[in-house]
Amino acid sequence: VVPTGPHPLAQYLASVDGRYGATFLDPPWRELFGRSEPPLIEPFNVVGRILTYVAGAGATHLLPVAEAMLTCKHKFPDEDSYQKFVPFVGVSLA
């Protein structure tokens, strides 16, 4: 999971993996992805930073994955509704 802004999941991962926090939650990373417009030049190599983190990863963190079922209706009442399953990662920040 690579954060492109402040996100509770990124905060959780940083709390269990200091290297993750140092790589993806430092001020330059936050500034780059916190802008409303992309910069004219990339201040650092984003792909290189991700590859460096993955190459040095020494542990796998188990994250609870859940699924929500959504019932969707069409615009017209004569059409049947349908269901979609949406997976998500859930963490407790408490």
Side-chain angles (χ1 to χ4, degrees):
V1 177
V2 178
T4 57
H7 193 277
L9 181 57
Q11 297 296 326
Y12 172 78
L13 287 172
S15 74
V16 297
D17 184 351
R19 191 164 175 262
Y20 178 91
T23 303
F24 297 120
L25 297 182
D26 66 339
W29 185 270
R30 286 183 175 193
E31 181 185 337
L32 176 66
F33 289 103
R35 299 176 180 194
S36 58
E37 296 290 325
L40 297 175
I41 59 169
E42 187 178 323
F44 53 84
N45 184 354
V46 172
V47 173
R49 187 179 276 213
I50 294 168
L51 291 174
T52 300
Y53 174 76
V54 170
T60 302
H61 302 288
L62 300 176
L63 299 174
V65 177
E67 199 171 55
M69 182 181 70
L70 304 176
T71 301
C72 306
K73 295 182 179 180
H74 292 282
K75 289 182 180 181
F76 304 104
D78 61 335
E79 295 179 352
D80 292 335
S81 62
Y82 59 98
Q83 295 174 339
K84 291 264 185 179
F85 291 92
V86 180
F88 63 92
V89 175
V91 295
S92 174
L93 302 178

